Amino acid sequence: HPESGTELFGKEGEQWLSDKAKAQYQFDDWAKDSETLPYWKSWNSFFTRQFKDRATQRPIAGPESNQTVISPNDGSVFRWQDNVLETDVFWFKDMRYSISDILSSSYKEQQALIDQYDLVNMFKGGTVFQTYLNPYNFHRWWVPVNGEVLFDPIVIPGDYFNKVVIPDFAGMGEVSTISFDEAMKQGASVQKGEEMGAFNYGGSSFVMIYQKMPNKKLVFIDAEGNLIPKEPILPEGSASVGGITINIGAQI
């Protein structure tokens, strides 16, 4: 709602976005609807803000090569696990999931698509890489590899809680809505760093599932080449960062 911008940022000298908060939000990095108050026209406009100069602030690692996979989002590494079988359980937002849980849908037409591409078997034995976003992060995600879109994106139905009513890792809030970029359509050729979509209103978790590749091993390293442990230091709260932070566009 347009009034959410005025209510959010208020008048100069009375707004919550103080000098300290601006530093925490890296205020000068972001494109704004206006360079004067209220800066952004609504809460969602602020939440889904873009970089002023993404090429400088988030350069793409190895843009022409798939030897390096980039992080699709800003955030902290939650954990990663390899050789994940169909019914292996891993934890996400303090809830139990498996490959068969994620790659299933209560909508018949979505399940038919999942079955058509045999997605469970495609990713069985693969690797799961999980990250966590805090409120200060960039809340959009980019294509991690060069490739082709197999089918139109689907949003698998689930529950949304307007407050946390279940055990939840470090106070992580649920996403309200996600939206995919219009270019993400079946048959489209995509490049590393191309925008895939955005979280709207909220959202704090991201998972990538990699296929098992015969005679190859995935190694996760940060932008400086350091190995990423399977279970790194975790954030202490929803506004905290973990021991290993990653930037969108950087190699993982």
Short mmCIF file of all heavy atoms in Angstrom, two decimals, residues 148-212:
data_model
loop_
_atom_site.label_atom_id
_atom_site.label_comp_id
_atom_site.label_asym_id
_atom_site.label_seq_id
_atom_site.Cartn_x
_atom_site.Cartn_y
_atom_site.Cartn_z
N GLU A 148 19.13 -23.78 -19.59
CA GLU A 148 17.82 -23.61 -20.21
C GLU A 148 16.74 -23.96 -19.20
O GLU A 148 16.90 -24.90 -18.40
CB GLU A 148 17.70 -24.53 -21.43
CG GLU A 148 16.37 -24.42 -22.17
CD GLU A 148 16.29 -25.34 -23.36
OE1 GLU A 148 17.29 -25.45 -24.10
OE2 GLU A 148 15.22 -25.97 -23.57
N VAL A 149 15.65 -23.23 -19.21
CA VAL A 149 14.53 -23.48 -18.31
C VAL A 149 13.72 -24.66 -18.86
O VAL A 149 13.22 -24.60 -19.98
CB VAL A 149 13.63 -22.24 -18.18
CG1 VAL A 149 12.45 -22.52 -17.25
CG2 VAL A 149 14.44 -21.04 -17.66
N LEU A 150 13.60 -25.73 -18.07
CA LEU A 150 12.89 -26.93 -18.53
C LEU A 150 11.38 -26.74 -18.60
O LEU A 150 10.72 -27.23 -19.51
CB LEU A 150 13.20 -28.11 -17.61
CG LEU A 150 14.56 -28.78 -17.74
CD1 LEU A 150 14.67 -29.96 -16.79
CD2 LEU A 150 14.80 -29.23 -19.17
N PHE A 151 10.84 -26.04 -17.59
CA PHE A 151 9.38 -25.82 -17.59
C PHE A 151 9.06 -24.53 -16.84
O PHE A 151 9.89 -24.01 -16.10
CB PHE A 151 8.64 -27.01 -16.97
CG PHE A 151 9.15 -27.44 -15.62
CD1 PHE A 151 8.76 -26.79 -14.45
CD2 PHE A 151 10.03 -28.51 -15.51
CE1 PHE A 151 9.22 -27.19 -13.21
CE2 PHE A 151 10.50 -28.92 -14.27
CZ PHE A 151 10.10 -28.26 -13.13
N ASP A 152 7.87 -24.01 -17.08
CA ASP A 152 7.45 -22.80 -16.39
C ASP A 152 7.52 -23.00 -14.88
O ASP A 152 7.19 -24.08 -14.38
CB ASP A 152 6.01 -22.42 -16.78
CG ASP A 152 5.88 -21.95 -18.22
OD1 ASP A 152 6.93 -21.71 -18.86
OD2 ASP A 152 4.74 -21.83 -18.70
N PRO A 153 7.96 -21.99 -14.14
CA PRO A 153 8.06 -22.13 -12.69
C PRO A 153 6.71 -22.46 -12.05
O PRO A 153 5.67 -22.03 -12.54
CB PRO A 153 8.55 -20.75 -12.22
CG PRO A 153 9.16 -20.14 -13.43
CD PRO A 153 8.39 -20.66 -14.59
N ILE A 154 6.78 -23.22 -10.97
CA ILE A 154 5.56 -23.53 -10.22
C ILE A 154 5.76 -23.14 -8.76
O ILE A 154 6.88 -23.21 -8.25
CB ILE A 154 5.16 -25.02 -10.33
CG1 ILE A 154 6.27 -25.92 -9.80
CG2 ILE A 154 4.78 -25.38 -11.75
CD1 ILE A 154 5.90 -27.41 -9.77
N VAL A 155 4.70 -22.73 -8.13
CA VAL A 155 4.72 -22.43 -6.69
C VAL A 155 3.91 -23.52 -6.01
O VAL A 155 2.69 -23.59 -6.16
CB VAL A 155 4.12 -21.05 -6.39
CG1 VAL A 155 4.11 -20.79 -4.89
CG2 VAL A 155 4.91 -19.96 -7.10
N ILE A 156 4.60 -24.40 -5.30
CA ILE A 156 3.93 -25.52 -4.65
C ILE A 156 3.13 -25.00 -3.46
O ILE A 156 3.66 -24.24 -2.64
CB ILE A 156 4.96 -26.57 -4.22
CG1 ILE A 156 5.61 -27.19 -5.48
CG2 ILE A 156 4.31 -27.67 -3.38
CD1 ILE A 156 6.73 -28.16 -5.19
N PRO A 157 1.87 -25.38 -3.33
CA PRO A 157 1.03 -24.85 -2.25
C PRO A 157 1.50 -25.30 -0.88
O PRO A 157 2.10 -26.36 -0.72
CB PRO A 157 -0.36 -25.41 -2.57
CG PRO A 157 -0.09 -26.65 -3.36
CD PRO A 157 1.14 -26.35 -4.18
N GLY A 158 1.24 -24.45 0.11
CA GLY A 158 1.61 -24.77 1.48
C GLY A 158 0.90 -23.83 2.43
O GLY A 158 -0.01 -23.10 2.03
N ASP A 159 1.33 -23.83 3.68
CA ASP A 159 0.70 -22.98 4.69
C ASP A 159 1.52 -21.72 4.90
O ASP A 159 2.74 -21.73 4.82
CB ASP A 159 0.61 -23.73 6.02
CG ASP A 159 -0.37 -24.89 5.95
OD1 ASP A 159 -1.40 -24.73 5.28
OD2 ASP A 159 -0.09 -25.95 6.55
N TYR A 160 0.82 -20.63 5.18
CA TYR A 160 1.47 -19.38 5.55
C TYR A 160 0.93 -18.95 6.91
O TYR A 160 -0.28 -18.93 7.12
CB TYR A 160 1.20 -18.28 4.51
CG TYR A 160 1.50 -16.90 5.03
CD1 TYR A 160 2.81 -16.53 5.32
CD2 TYR A 160 0.49 -15.98 5.29
CE1 TYR A 160 3.12 -15.28 5.84
CE2 TYR A 160 0.78 -14.73 5.80
CZ TYR A 160 2.09 -14.38 6.06
OH TYR A 160 2.37 -13.14 6.59
N PHE A 161 1.83 -18.66 7.83
CA PHE A 161 1.43 -18.20 9.16
C PHE A 161 1.83 -16.73 9.30
O PHE A 161 2.96 -16.38 9.01
CB PHE A 161 2.13 -19.02 10.24
CG PHE A 161 1.83 -20.50 10.16
CD1 PHE A 161 2.70 -21.36 9.50
CD2 PHE A 161 0.68 -21.02 10.72
CE1 PHE A 161 2.43 -22.72 9.42
CE2 PHE A 161 0.40 -22.37 10.65
CZ PHE A 161 1.28 -23.22 9.98
N ASN A 162 0.89 -15.89 9.75
CA ASN A 162 1.23 -14.48 9.90
C ASN A 162 2.04 -14.20 11.15
O ASN A 162 2.45 -13.09 11.40
CB ASN A 162 -0.02 -13.59 9.86
CG ASN A 162 -0.97 -13.85 11.01
OD1 ASN A 162 -0.69 -14.67 11.88
ND2 ASN A 162 -2.09 -13.16 11.01
N LYS A 163 2.27 -15.20 11.96
CA LYS A 163 3.21 -15.12 13.06
C LYS A 163 3.72 -16.54 13.31
O LYS A 163 3.10 -17.51 12.89
CB LYS A 163 2.58 -14.54 14.32
CG LYS A 163 1.43 -15.38 14.88
CD LYS A 163 0.87 -14.73 16.15
CE LYS A 163 -0.28 -15.54 16.71
NZ LYS A 163 -0.81 -14.95 17.96
N VAL A 164 4.86 -16.63 13.97
CA VAL A 164 5.44 -17.94 14.19
C VAL A 164 4.62 -18.70 15.24
O VAL A 164 4.52 -18.29 16.38
CB VAL A 164 6.90 -17.81 14.64
CG1 VAL A 164 7.49 -19.18 14.93
CG2 VAL A 164 7.72 -17.14 13.56
N VAL A 165 4.04 -19.81 14.82
CA VAL A 165 3.24 -20.62 15.74
C VAL A 165 3.79 -22.04 15.83
O VAL A 165 3.19 -22.91 16.41
CB VAL A 165 1.76 -20.67 15.30
CG1 VAL A 165 1.15 -19.30 15.42
CG2 VAL A 165 1.62 -21.22 13.89
N ILE A 166 4.95 -22.25 15.21
CA ILE A 166 5.62 -23.55 15.25
C ILE A 166 7.07 -23.31 15.62
O ILE A 166 7.57 -22.20 15.48
CB ILE A 166 5.53 -24.27 13.88
CG1 ILE A 166 6.08 -23.36 12.77
CG2 ILE A 166 4.12 -24.69 13.57
CD1 ILE A 166 6.13 -24.03 11.43
N PRO A 167 7.79 -24.32 16.10
CA PRO A 167 9.22 -24.14 16.37
C PRO A 167 9.92 -23.66 15.11
O PRO A 167 9.68 -24.18 14.02
CB PRO A 167 9.69 -25.55 16.77
CG PRO A 167 8.45 -26.23 17.25
CD PRO A 167 7.33 -25.69 16.42
N ASP A 168 10.75 -22.63 15.23
CA ASP A 168 11.30 -22.00 14.05
C ASP A 168 12.75 -21.61 14.31
O ASP A 168 13.04 -20.97 15.31
CB ASP A 168 10.48 -20.75 13.72
CG ASP A 168 10.69 -20.27 12.30
OD1 ASP A 168 11.13 -21.08 11.48
OD2 ASP A 168 10.43 -19.09 12.04
N PHE A 169 13.65 -22.01 13.43
CA PHE A 169 15.08 -21.78 13.62
C PHE A 169 15.39 -20.29 13.80
O PHE A 169 15.12 -19.48 12.95
CB PHE A 169 15.87 -22.33 12.43
CG PHE A 169 17.28 -21.83 12.40
CD1 PHE A 169 18.21 -22.31 13.29
CD2 PHE A 169 17.67 -20.86 11.49
CE1 PHE A 169 19.50 -21.84 13.29
CE2 PHE A 169 18.96 -20.39 11.48
CZ PHE A 169 19.88 -20.88 12.38
N ALA A 170 15.96 -19.95 14.97
CA ALA A 170 16.49 -18.62 15.25
C ALA A 170 15.49 -17.51 14.95
O ALA A 170 15.87 -16.41 14.58
CB ALA A 170 17.79 -18.40 14.46
N GLY A 171 14.18 -17.77 15.07
CA GLY A 171 13.18 -16.73 14.86
C GLY A 171 12.92 -16.41 13.42
O GLY A 171 12.46 -15.31 13.08
N MET A 172 13.27 -17.32 12.48
CA MET A 172 13.09 -17.05 11.05
C MET A 172 11.61 -16.95 10.72
O MET A 172 10.81 -17.82 11.07
CB MET A 172 13.73 -18.18 10.22
CG MET A 172 15.25 -18.20 10.31
SD MET A 172 15.95 -19.75 9.73
CE MET A 172 15.57 -19.69 8.00
N GLY A 173 11.20 -15.87 10.05
CA GLY A 173 9.80 -15.67 9.68
C GLY A 173 9.50 -16.29 8.33
O GLY A 173 10.37 -16.49 7.50
N GLU A 174 8.24 -16.60 8.10
CA GLU A 174 7.85 -17.23 6.85
C GLU A 174 7.72 -16.21 5.72
O GLU A 174 7.41 -15.04 5.94
CB GLU A 174 6.49 -17.94 7.02
CG GLU A 174 6.53 -19.11 7.99
CD GLU A 174 7.31 -20.28 7.45
OE1 GLU A 174 7.59 -20.30 6.24
OE2 GLU A 174 7.66 -21.17 8.22
N VAL A 175 7.92 -16.66 4.50
CA VAL A 175 7.73 -15.81 3.33
C VAL A 175 6.24 -15.64 3.07
O VAL A 175 5.45 -16.55 3.29
CB VAL A 175 8.43 -16.42 2.09
CG1 VAL A 175 7.85 -17.76 1.76
CG2 VAL A 175 8.37 -15.49 0.90
N SER A 176 5.87 -14.45 2.63
CA SER A 176 4.46 -14.21 2.32
C SER A 176 4.17 -14.60 0.88
O SER A 176 3.25 -15.35 0.61
CB SER A 176 4.12 -12.74 2.54
OG SER A 176 2.78 -12.48 2.20
N THR A 177 4.96 -14.10 -0.06
CA THR A 177 4.74 -14.36 -1.48
C THR A 177 6.08 -14.40 -2.19
O THR A 177 6.99 -13.68 -1.81
CB THR A 177 3.88 -13.25 -2.12
OG1 THR A 177 2.69 -13.08 -1.38
CG2 THR A 177 3.52 -13.60 -3.56
N ILE A 178 6.19 -15.21 -3.22
CA ILE A 178 7.34 -15.12 -4.11
C ILE A 178 6.83 -14.86 -5.52
O ILE A 178 5.71 -15.22 -5.87
CB ILE A 178 8.21 -16.41 -4.11
CG1 ILE A 178 7.39 -17.63 -4.54
CG2 ILE A 178 8.86 -16.62 -2.76
CD1 ILE A 178 8.25 -18.86 -4.76
N SER A 179 7.65 -14.19 -6.32
CA SER A 179 7.27 -13.92 -7.70
C SER A 179 8.45 -14.23 -8.60
O SER A 179 9.60 -13.96 -8.25
CB SER A 179 6.84 -12.45 -7.87
OG SER A 179 7.88 -11.57 -7.45
N PHE A 180 8.17 -14.83 -9.74
CA PHE A 180 9.21 -15.18 -10.71
C PHE A 180 9.28 -14.11 -11.79
O PHE A 180 8.26 -13.54 -12.17
CB PHE A 180 8.92 -16.54 -11.35
CG PHE A 180 9.15 -17.71 -10.44
CD1 PHE A 180 8.12 -18.24 -9.68
CD2 PHE A 180 10.41 -18.27 -10.31
CE1 PHE A 180 8.32 -19.31 -8.84
CE2 PHE A 180 10.63 -19.34 -9.47
CZ PHE A 180 9.59 -19.86 -8.73
N ASP A 181 10.48 -13.87 -12.29
CA ASP A 181 10.65 -12.95 -13.39
C ASP A 181 9.94 -13.48 -14.63
O ASP A 181 9.90 -14.70 -14.87
CB ASP A 181 12.14 -12.76 -13.69
CG ASP A 181 12.41 -11.63 -14.65
OD1 ASP A 181 12.36 -11.89 -15.88
OD2 ASP A 181 12.64 -10.50 -14.20
N GLU A 182 9.36 -12.60 -15.42
CA GLU A 182 8.60 -13.02 -16.60
C GLU A 182 9.44 -13.76 -17.62
O GLU A 182 8.91 -14.52 -18.43
CB GLU A 182 7.94 -11.80 -17.25
CG GLU A 182 6.86 -11.15 -16.39
CD GLU A 182 6.20 -9.96 -17.08
OE1 GLU A 182 6.66 -9.60 -18.19
OE2 GLU A 182 5.26 -9.38 -16.50
N ALA A 183 10.75 -13.55 -17.60
CA ALA A 183 11.63 -14.22 -18.57
C ALA A 183 11.83 -15.70 -18.25
O ALA A 183 12.30 -16.46 -19.09
CB ALA A 183 12.99 -13.52 -18.62
N MET A 184 11.48 -16.12 -17.04
CA MET A 184 11.69 -17.51 -16.63
C MET A 184 10.55 -18.39 -17.17
O MET A 184 9.64 -18.78 -16.44
CB MET A 184 11.76 -17.62 -15.11
CG MET A 184 12.93 -16.87 -14.50
SD MET A 184 14.54 -17.52 -15.02
CE MET A 184 15.24 -16.07 -15.81
N LYS A 185 10.60 -18.69 -18.45
CA LYS A 185 9.58 -19.50 -19.11
C LYS A 185 10.22 -20.73 -19.75
O LYS A 185 11.41 -20.74 -20.06
CB LYS A 185 8.86 -18.68 -20.19
CG LYS A 185 8.09 -17.47 -19.64
CD LYS A 185 6.95 -17.90 -18.74
CE LYS A 185 6.12 -16.72 -18.27
NZ LYS A 185 5.04 -17.11 -17.33
N GLN A 186 9.41 -21.75 -19.97
CA GLN A 186 9.90 -22.99 -20.58
C GLN A 186 10.65 -22.70 -21.87
O GLN A 186 10.17 -21.96 -22.73
CB GLN A 186 8.74 -23.93 -20.86
CG GLN A 186 9.16 -25.26 -21.44
CD GLN A 186 7.97 -26.19 -21.68
OE1 GLN A 186 6.84 -25.74 -21.78
NE2 GLN A 186 8.24 -27.48 -21.76
N GLY A 187 11.85 -23.26 -22.00
CA GLY A 187 12.64 -23.11 -23.21
C GLY A 187 13.56 -21.91 -23.22
O GLY A 187 14.39 -21.79 -24.12
N ALA A 188 13.44 -21.02 -22.25
CA ALA A 188 14.28 -19.82 -22.23
C ALA A 188 15.73 -20.17 -21.91
O ALA A 188 16.00 -20.99 -21.04
CB ALA A 188 13.74 -18.83 -21.20
N SER A 189 16.66 -19.55 -22.63
CA SER A 189 18.08 -19.67 -22.29
C SER A 189 18.38 -18.63 -21.23
O SER A 189 17.99 -17.46 -21.36
CB SER A 189 18.95 -19.42 -23.53
OG SER A 189 18.76 -20.44 -24.48
N VAL A 190 19.06 -19.06 -20.17
CA VAL A 190 19.35 -18.15 -19.05
C VAL A 190 20.84 -18.13 -18.76
O VAL A 190 21.55 -19.09 -19.01
CB VAL A 190 18.56 -18.56 -17.79
CG1 VAL A 190 17.07 -18.36 -17.99
CG2 VAL A 190 18.85 -20.01 -17.40
N GLN A 191 21.28 -17.00 -18.23
CA GLN A 191 22.69 -16.79 -17.94
C GLN A 191 22.89 -16.55 -16.45
O GLN A 191 22.01 -16.01 -15.77
CB GLN A 191 23.23 -15.59 -18.72
CG GLN A 191 23.09 -15.72 -20.23
CD GLN A 191 23.90 -16.86 -20.79
OE1 GLN A 191 25.08 -17.01 -20.47
NE2 GLN A 191 23.28 -17.67 -21.63
N LYS A 192 24.05 -16.95 -15.94
CA LYS A 192 24.38 -16.69 -14.54
C LYS A 192 24.20 -15.21 -14.21
O LYS A 192 24.66 -14.34 -14.95
CB LYS A 192 25.82 -17.09 -14.26
CG LYS A 192 26.08 -18.58 -14.36
CD LYS A 192 27.55 -18.91 -14.45
CE LYS A 192 28.29 -18.68 -13.16
NZ LYS A 192 29.69 -19.22 -13.22
N GLY A 193 23.49 -14.95 -13.12
CA GLY A 193 23.29 -13.56 -12.71
C GLY A 193 22.02 -12.93 -13.23
O GLY A 193 21.66 -11.83 -12.81
N GLU A 194 21.32 -13.62 -14.13
CA GLU A 194 20.04 -13.10 -14.61
C GLU A 194 19.01 -13.24 -13.49
O GLU A 194 19.00 -14.23 -12.77
CB GLU A 194 19.60 -13.90 -15.84
CG GLU A 194 18.36 -13.39 -16.54
CD GLU A 194 18.04 -14.18 -17.80
OE1 GLU A 194 18.93 -14.94 -18.28
OE2 GLU A 194 16.92 -14.04 -18.31
N GLU A 195 18.16 -12.23 -13.33
CA GLU A 195 17.20 -12.29 -12.22
C GLU A 195 16.17 -13.40 -12.44
O GLU A 195 15.57 -13.50 -13.51
CB GLU A 195 16.49 -10.95 -12.04
CG GLU A 195 15.54 -10.98 -10.85
CD GLU A 195 15.23 -9.60 -10.29
OE1 GLU A 195 16.18 -8.84 -10.02
OE2 GLU A 195 14.04 -9.31 -10.12
N MET A 196 15.96 -14.21 -11.39
CA MET A 196 14.95 -15.27 -11.43
C MET A 196 13.65 -14.84 -10.76
O MET A 196 12.57 -15.18 -11.22
CB MET A 196 15.46 -16.54 -10.75
CG MET A 196 16.48 -17.32 -11.54
SD MET A 196 16.84 -18.93 -10.77
CE MET A 196 15.34 -19.82 -11.12
N GLY A 197 13.77 -14.11 -9.65
CA GLY A 197 12.55 -13.74 -8.94
C GLY A 197 12.86 -13.00 -7.66
O GLY A 197 14.00 -12.60 -7.41
N ALA A 198 11.83 -12.82 -6.84
CA ALA A 198 11.99 -12.05 -5.61
C ALA A 198 11.03 -12.55 -4.54
O ALA A 198 9.97 -13.10 -4.83
CB ALA A 198 11.72 -10.56 -5.88
N PHE A 199 11.46 -12.34 -3.28
CA PHE A 199 10.55 -12.51 -2.15
C PHE A 199 9.76 -11.21 -2.01
O PHE A 199 10.29 -10.12 -2.22
CB PHE A 199 11.33 -12.71 -0.85
CG PHE A 199 12.12 -13.99 -0.79
CD1 PHE A 199 13.50 -13.96 -0.83
CD2 PHE A 199 11.48 -15.20 -0.66
CE1 PHE A 199 14.24 -15.13 -0.74
CE2 PHE A 199 12.21 -16.39 -0.57
CZ PHE A 199 13.59 -16.35 -0.61
N ASN A 200 8.50 -11.32 -1.63
CA ASN A 200 7.69 -10.13 -1.36
C ASN A 200 7.26 -10.16 0.10
O ASN A 200 6.83 -11.20 0.60
CB ASN A 200 6.46 -10.09 -2.26
CG ASN A 200 6.83 -9.92 -3.71
OD1 ASN A 200 7.20 -8.84 -4.14
ND2 ASN A 200 6.76 -11.00 -4.48
N TYR A 201 7.36 -9.04 0.74
CA TYR A 201 6.98 -8.82 2.14
C TYR A 201 7.95 -9.48 3.12
O TYR A 201 8.46 -8.84 4.01
CB TYR A 201 5.55 -9.30 2.41
CG TYR A 201 5.19 -9.17 3.88
CD1 TYR A 201 4.95 -7.92 4.44
CD2 TYR A 201 5.14 -10.28 4.70
CE1 TYR A 201 4.67 -7.80 5.78
CE2 TYR A 201 4.86 -10.16 6.05
CZ TYR A 201 4.62 -8.91 6.58
OH TYR A 201 4.34 -8.80 7.91
N GLY A 202 8.18 -10.76 2.98
CA GLY A 202 9.05 -11.46 3.93
C GLY A 202 9.81 -12.55 3.21
O GLY A 202 9.86 -12.61 2.00
N GLY A 203 10.41 -13.43 3.98
CA GLY A 203 11.14 -14.54 3.37
C GLY A 203 12.53 -14.63 3.93
O GLY A 203 13.21 -13.62 4.05
N SER A 204 12.94 -15.80 4.33
CA SER A 204 14.22 -15.86 5.03
C SER A 204 15.02 -17.12 4.74
O SER A 204 16.03 -17.35 5.37
CB SER A 204 13.98 -15.78 6.54
OG SER A 204 13.08 -16.79 6.93
N SER A 205 14.58 -17.94 3.82
CA SER A 205 15.30 -19.19 3.60
C SER A 205 15.34 -19.56 2.13
O SER A 205 14.45 -19.19 1.35
CB SER A 205 14.65 -20.33 4.40
OG SER A 205 13.26 -20.37 4.16
N PHE A 206 16.39 -20.27 1.75
CA PHE A 206 16.61 -20.61 0.35
C PHE A 206 17.29 -21.97 0.30
O PHE A 206 18.16 -22.26 1.12
CB PHE A 206 17.51 -19.56 -0.31
CG PHE A 206 17.41 -19.49 -1.81
CD1 PHE A 206 16.63 -18.53 -2.42
CD2 PHE A 206 18.09 -20.40 -2.61
CE1 PHE A 206 16.53 -18.45 -3.80
CE2 PHE A 206 17.99 -20.34 -3.99
CZ PHE A 206 17.21 -19.36 -4.59
N VAL A 207 16.89 -22.80 -0.64
CA VAL A 207 17.53 -24.10 -0.79
C VAL A 207 17.78 -24.38 -2.26
O VAL A 207 16.92 -24.10 -3.11
CB VAL A 207 16.67 -25.23 -0.16
CG1 VAL A 207 15.29 -25.29 -0.76
CG2 VAL A 207 17.37 -26.58 -0.27
N MET A 208 18.96 -24.89 -2.57
CA MET A 208 19.28 -25.36 -3.92
C MET A 208 19.56 -26.84 -3.85
O MET A 208 20.25 -27.31 -2.94
CB MET A 208 20.49 -24.63 -4.51
CG MET A 208 20.21 -23.23 -4.98
SD MET A 208 21.42 -22.69 -6.22
CE MET A 208 22.91 -22.76 -5.26
N ILE A 209 19.03 -27.58 -4.82
CA ILE A 209 19.26 -29.02 -4.90
C ILE A 209 20.02 -29.30 -6.19
O ILE A 209 19.60 -28.88 -7.26
CB ILE A 209 17.94 -29.81 -4.88
CG1 ILE A 209 17.08 -29.39 -3.68
CG2 ILE A 209 18.20 -31.30 -4.83
CD1 ILE A 209 15.70 -30.01 -3.67
N TYR A 210 21.15 -29.98 -6.06
CA TYR A 210 22.00 -30.30 -7.20
C TYR A 210 21.88 -31.79 -7.54
O TYR A 210 21.81 -32.63 -6.65
CB TYR A 210 23.48 -30.01 -6.89
CG TYR A 210 23.79 -28.59 -6.52
CD1 TYR A 210 23.63 -28.14 -5.21
CD2 TYR A 210 24.24 -27.68 -7.47
CE1 TYR A 210 23.93 -26.84 -4.86
CE2 TYR A 210 24.54 -26.38 -7.13
CZ TYR A 210 24.38 -25.96 -5.82
OH TYR A 210 24.67 -24.67 -5.47
N GLN A 211 21.88 -32.08 -8.83
CA GLN A 211 21.86 -33.48 -9.27
C GLN A 211 23.17 -34.17 -8.89
O GLN A 211 24.22 -33.53 -8.76
CB GLN A 211 21.71 -33.55 -10.79
CG GLN A 211 20.36 -33.11 -11.31
CD GLN A 211 20.37 -33.05 -12.83
OE1 GLN A 211 20.42 -31.98 -13.41
NE2 GLN A 211 20.32 -34.21 -13.47
N LYS A 212 23.08 -35.49 -8.74
CA LYS A 212 24.29 -36.28 -8.55
C LYS A 212 24.95 -36.44 -9.91
O LYS A 212 24.31 -36.86 -10.87
CB LYS A 212 23.95 -37.66 -7.98
CG LYS A 212 25.18 -38.51 -7.67
CD LYS A 212 24.78 -39.82 -7.03
CE LYS A 212 25.99 -40.69 -6.72
NZ LYS A 212 26.89 -40.07 -5.73
#
